[in-house]
């Protein structure tokens, strides 16, 4: 995904303040070659200011419409004390910046990232196996990261198929039936029949070698699997470009040859491997039977993404259990000269690991019969529970069946996504329908209600918001107005932090805090409709709705104007 540099962007507040303090530092140091970035951070508890800069660089700070005042703060009881500059932002500048966003669009608040093109490897369902809860986190986290970056800038299956359908033209979705049952039957045969196992292993080598009969069988299974996957992706609103393992097969021999010429590939027990310093087990790139494996494909895919797709950043979203595999893969790629030696430079790679989805018993989430939970069943249950809650609130009498269905989907699917994304991805989390569908606390339901409430306030005013954008003026005289305005401006910083550290939960935290500030600090204390400040406050409501809507989009959640 290439970042869009078309729109004029204001840059986040931290970057603009850093620019000011850097100018001040230059006057003191007077060394053009010294490139020091001032450390800027929001003040905790808003004591003494809105932002803080480390070091007492205050005397030579150039005049700016951004800053209302500065003061020196000392922290600590021991000498020497830590010295900071507290910065209070100008109310009029905050107001003007929000008004400009209302006119020019929230894209002007998108962070500026140096990466031009990033490739995300995520979801990765297995052919001929239904998507289950194990695919939930990779799909949801990967989609969120893709949205954030865009906003910023099989052998036994084939052999079993041949045995059951000698004529491949007879193969259809109806003929194969349940993909899971088909997979289990072929796996059982693989485990129980030694001759079948050998034939299956040979089938993999023939498939990778490009034999047409095996390619045709593989395509049949892929097509049927793809239709099943799409049912899940459509419900989750996930869009991706499919490039399965088979896409990279033609590149594997070339990549292995290149790595061999560089002296990276060695013979070991009949296989061809790459030894990684500090790791006892080597990275096997060609098995002893001549077949390829995950490492072969991953190396070919990485080579392709860097050389053919010209990606500067390649990101893999898988569970934390695969950390060592990717660490070895990245080290091999660095030795080959594909990646920059310094991870802060491009091209680079990142492994986005994530924890487990647990059940109420604290163990890996499974059905009562110890089967993995099908993802489509999980989503159906979320929608069903959401619809029941809406009916209990009397919405079946107010809305059409279509409205009820669409709202139940948006709330149910959004609840599942948010419950995952609000956690730091590295931690495990417990899947709990009751908690995630609650309308209280840090849940998607609560946030969707908050958004719908703001839309309702604007609608009940009967004012032309588009006209107010052009003619109205935002004033931040009340403390609640100013706190809301300041938090709105910090949207860009939240997005940049989420992208830089590949942590979608940062956006969740920002969105929840925005909702809390709007409700408890602004709306509770500042009458909107019918007040003397109605125009200004309606514009603040609209700005909040725009930022919340963008946050929902970045998280892959559909906002609702009414619930």
């Amino acid at each position: 995904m290439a970042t869009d540099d078309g729109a004029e962007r204001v840059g986040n507040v931290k970057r603009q303040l850093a620019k000011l303090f850097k100018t001040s530092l230059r006057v003191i140091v007077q060394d053009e070659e010294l490139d020091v970035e001032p450390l800027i951070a929001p003040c905790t508890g808003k004591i003494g200011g809105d932002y803080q800069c480390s070091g007492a660089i205050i005397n030579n700070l150039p005049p700016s419409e951004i800053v209302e005042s500065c003061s020196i703060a000392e922290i600590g009881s021991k000498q020497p004390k830590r010295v900071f500059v507290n910065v209070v932002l100008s109310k009029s500048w905050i107001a003007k910046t929000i008004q400009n966003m209302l006119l020019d669009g929230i894209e002007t608040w998108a962070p500026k990232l140096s990466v031009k093109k990033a490739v995300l490897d995520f979801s990765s369902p297995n052919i001929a196996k239904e998507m289950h809860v194990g695919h939930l986190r990779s799909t949801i986290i990967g989609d969120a990261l893709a949205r954030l970056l865009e906003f910023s800038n099989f052998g036994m299956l084939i052999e079993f198929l041949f045995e059951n359908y000698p004529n491949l033209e007879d193969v259809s979705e109806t003929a194969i039936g349940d993909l899971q049952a088909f997979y289990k039957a072929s796996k059982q045969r693989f485990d129980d029949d030694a001759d079948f196992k050998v034939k299956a292993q040979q089938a993999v080598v023939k498939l990778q070698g490009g034999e047409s009969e095996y390619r045709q069988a593989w395509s049949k299974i892929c097509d049927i699997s793809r239709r099943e996957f799409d049912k899940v992706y459509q419900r989750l609103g996930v869009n991706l470009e499919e490039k399965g393992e088979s896409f990279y097969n033609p590149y594997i021999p070339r990549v292995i040859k290149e790595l061999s010429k560089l002296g990276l590939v060695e013979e070991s027990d009949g296989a061809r491997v790459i030894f990684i310093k500090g790791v006892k087990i080597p990275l096997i790139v060609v098995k002893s039977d001549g077949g390829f494996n995950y490492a072969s494909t991953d190396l070919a895919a990485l080579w392709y993404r860097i050389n053919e797709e010209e990606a500067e950043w390649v990101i893999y979203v898988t569970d934390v259990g695969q950390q060592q595999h990717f660490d070895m893969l990245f080290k091999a790629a660095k030795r080959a000269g594909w990646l920059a030696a310094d991870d802060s430079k491009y091209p680079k790679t990142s492994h986005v690991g994530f924890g487990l989805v647990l059940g109420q018993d604290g163990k890996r989430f499974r059905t009562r019969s110890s089967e993995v939970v099908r993802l489509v069943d999980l989503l159906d249950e979320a929608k069903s529970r959401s619809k029941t809650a809406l009916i209990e609130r009397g919405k079946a009498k107010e809305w059409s069946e279509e409205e009820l269905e669409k709202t139940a989907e948006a709330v149910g699917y959004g609840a599942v996504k948010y419950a995952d994304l609000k956690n730091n991805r590295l931690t495990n989390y417990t899947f709990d329908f009751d908690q995630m569908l609650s309308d209280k606390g840090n849940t998607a339901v609560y946030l969707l209600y908050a958004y719908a409430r703001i839309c309702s306030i604007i609608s009940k005013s009967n004012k032309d918001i588009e006209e107010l954008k052009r003619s109205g003026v935002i004033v931040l005289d009340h403390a609640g107005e100013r706190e809301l305005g300041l938090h709105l401006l910090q949207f860009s910083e939240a997005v940049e932090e989420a992208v830089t550290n590949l942590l979608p939960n940062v956006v969740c935290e920002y969105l929840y805090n925005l909702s809390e500030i709007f409700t408890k600090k602004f709306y509770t204390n500042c009458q909107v409709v019918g007040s003397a400040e109605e125009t200004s406050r309606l514009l603040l409501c609209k700005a909040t709705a725009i930022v919340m809507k963008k946050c929902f989009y970045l998280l892959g959640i559909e906002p609702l104007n009414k619930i």
Side-chain angles (χ1 to χ4, degrees):
M1 288 145 295
T3 56
D4 177 18
D5 294 322
E8 180 65 30
R9 296 173 183 171
V10 298
N12 64 45
V13 179
K14 284 200 294 188
R15 286 187 182 276
Q16 294 185 72
L17 289 176
K19 209 170 173 182
L20 284 174
F21 279 96
K22 194 169 185 178
T23 302
S24 174
L25 188 63
R26 284 265 181 243
V27 174
I28 298 170
V29 178
Q30 295 183 341
D31 184 349
E32 290 298 324
E33 294 184 4
L34 185 66
D35 189 22
V36 178
E37 288 294 328
L39 297 177
I40 310 291
C43 289
T44 55
K46 300 295 184 289
I47 299 174
D50 302 315
Y51 284 82
Q52 212 166 55
C53 176
S54 60
I57 317 165
I58 189 170
N59 294 331
N60 300 297
L61 198 68
S64 170
E65 64 172 341
I66 299 175
V67 178
E68 183 173 295
S69 64
C70 292
S71 60
I72 299 293
E74 294 183 341
I75 297 178
S77 56
K78 296 180 180 179
Q79 296 294 338
K81 293 184 178 181
R82 295 171 62 196
V83 181
F84 295 90
V85 177
N86 282 336
V87 180
V88 176
L89 300 182
S90 161
K91 288 190 299 184
S92 60
W93 178 78
I94 296 173
K96 187 179 79 170
T97 306
I98 295 171
Q99 282 195 254
N100 288 341
M101 182 276 286
L102 287 171
L103 291 170
D104 301 332
I106 196 168
E107 286 70 26
T108 58
W109 281 6
K112 295 180 180 179
L113 299 178
S114 56
V115 63
K116 293 179 182 177
K117 187 174 186 180
V119 171
L120 268 88
D121 187 320
F122 70 98
S123 192
S124 306
N126 302 97
I127 291 299
K129 292 178 73 176
E130 289 181 292
M131 293 182 73
H132 54 77
V133 72
H135 297 107
L136 180 68
R137 302 210 73 184
S138 179
T139 303
I140 290 175
I141 294 169
D143 180 54
L145 291 175
R147 289 167 181 263
L148 283 162
L149 279 162
E150 284 175 347
F151 179 62
S152 315
N153 260 143
F154 281 157
M156 67 179 185
L157 295 170
I158 292 176
E159 204 56 43
F160 193 69
L161 186 69
F162 280 149
E163 282 195 355
N164 286 274
Y165 302 96
N167 182 2
L168 289 177
E169 296 303 318
D170 294 336
V171 178
S172 65
E173 190 170 353
T174 305
I176 290 182
D178 189 327
L179 282 172
Q180 198 80 351
F182 181 77
Y183 180 87
K184 283 183 179 178
S186 63
K187 181 68 168 66
Q188 188 69 45
R189 184 73 191 281
F190 183 86
D191 292 337
D192 297 344
D193 189 328
D195 291 337
F196 178 82
K197 183 175 184 177
V198 172
K199 289 170 68 178
Q201 291 170 334
Q202 291 171 344
V204 173
V205 178
K206 291 176 182 178
L207 171 65
Q208 293 171 338
E211 291 191 24
S212 59
E213 185 180 19
Y214 289 82
R215 296 284 295 175
Q216 185 183 357
W218 182 246
S219 295
K220 286 283 186 181
I221 298 172
C222 287
D223 288 342
I224 294 169
S225 299
R226 189 176 293 111
R227 288 194 286 273
E228 291 301 311
F229 300 155
D230 284 345
K231 292 176 183 177
V232 174
Y233 290 139
Q234 285 173 12
R235 294 187 194 201
L236 290 174
V238 172
N239 296 307
L240 39 72
E241 179 183 347
E242 181 190 329
K243 276 194 175 77
E245 290 179 23
S246 59
F247 175 86
Y248 302 103
N249 276 349
Y251 299 92
I252 294 177
R254 172 181 177 176
V255 169
I256 301 297
K257 186 176 180 181
E258 179 181 318
L259 294 172
S260 298
K261 281 184 178 180
L262 293 170
L264 270 65
V265 180
E266 303 177 37
E267 296 288 331
S268 177
D269 296 329
R272 302 180 71 193
V273 306
I274 298 175
F275 287 98
I276 305 298
K277 187 177 180 180
V279 184
K280 293 181 179 179
I281 303 172
L283 195 66
I284 300 173
V285 295
V286 182
K287 296 186 293 184
S288 56
D289 64 2
F292 303 125
N293 59 6
Y294 285 126
S296 320
T297 306
D298 285 341
L299 283 167
L302 183 54
W303 179 92
Y304 180 89
R305 288 160 178 169
I306 292 170
N307 292 282
E308 298 295 325
E309 295 184 320
E310 299 181 336
E312 291 183 323
W313 194 6
V314 185
I315 303 165
Y316 297 83
V317 186
T318 71
D319 65 84
V320 291
Q322 297 186 46
Q323 178 66 51
Q324 186 184 55
H325 167 76
F326 284 103
D327 183 58
M328 294 171 70
L329 181 77
F330 300 161
K331 285 178 178 176
K334 283 184 179 181
R335 287 180 61 194
W338 299 350
L339 302 173
D342 183 348
D343 287 335
S344 66
K345 296 187 170 114
Y346 299 114
K348 70 175 184 177
T349 52
S350 296
H351 176 244
V352 177
F354 52 82
L356 299 173
V357 181
L358 305 177
Q360 296 294 312
D361 58 1
K363 298 177 182 178
R364 190 187 290 266
F365 191 30
R366 293 182 179 276
T367 64
R368 289 182 180 177
S369 59
S370 295
E371 295 286 333
V372 292
V373 179
R374 295 169 70 235
L375 200 44
V376 68
D377 291 340
L378 185 149
L379 295 174
D380 282 345
E381 177 73 9
K383 176 186 173 182
S384 175
R385 288 180 179 235
S386 176
K387 186 175 180 180
T388 299
L390 290 169
I391 291 172
E392 288 174 352
R393 289 179 51 231
K395 295 301 178 182
K397 297 177 181 177
E398 300 176 24
W399 296 347
S400 66
E401 181 62 25
E402 183 181 1
E403 282 182 306
L404 195 62
E405 286 287 314
K406 285 186 175 181
T407 304
E409 283 183 2
V411 174
Y413 301 164
V416 172
K417 287 186 176 185
Y418 189 81
D420 189 306
L421 293 172
K422 75 176 182 180
N423 299 285
N424 184 305
R425 56 177 169 76
L426 292 171
T427 62
N428 300 336
Y429 82 95
T430 301
F431 194 94
D432 184 342
F433 274 123
D434 290 336
Q435 192 279 328
M436 67 177 57
L437 288 167
S438 171
D439 59 2
K440 295 178 177 61
N442 189 8
T443 68
V445 183
Y446 170 79
L447 294 170
L448 287 168
Y449 273 120
Y451 176 80
R453 190 181 304 116
I454 296 172
C455 293
S456 176
I457 293 167
I458 296 170
S459 176
K460 287 178 179 177
S461 73
N462 291 318
K463 294 293 175 66
D464 185 340
I465 292 295
E466 294 306 312
E467 175 57 34
L468 291 185
K469 284 183 188 180
R470 293 186 292 270
S471 61
V473 176
I474 294 177
V475 179
L476 305 176
D477 286 341
H478 191 282
E481 295 171 324
R482 189 184 187 284
E483 187 169 350
L484 177 60
L486 177 62
H487 196 72
L488 287 170
L489 252 60
Q490 292 170 339
F491 164 77
S492 178
E493 293 169 22
V495 174
E496 183 168 329
E497 182 185 347
V499 174
T500 303
N501 299 315
L502 301 172
L503 292 171
N505 63 291
V506 173
V507 175
C508 295
E509 183 180 357
Y510 171 85
L511 176 58
Y512 176 67
N513 288 337
L514 176 59
S515 175
E516 289 284 271
I517 290 169
F518 178 89
T519 303
K520 297 179 180 179
K521 299 296 181 66
F522 171 71
Y523 190 62
T524 301
N525 301 305
C526 303
Q527 180 186 343
V528 179
V529 179
S531 69
E533 302 85 1
E534 182 180 65
T535 295
S536 172
R537 290 174 179 175
L538 280 173
L539 291 175
L540 278 173
C541 287
K542 184 62 178 178
T544 304
I546 289 172
V547 172
M548 287 188 74
K549 186 175 183 179
K550 180 56 70 175
C551 287
F552 282 129
Y553 171 79
L554 295 174
L555 298 172
I557 297 172
E558 182 183 351
L560 300 162
N561 292 343
K562 64 176 183 178
I563 301 182

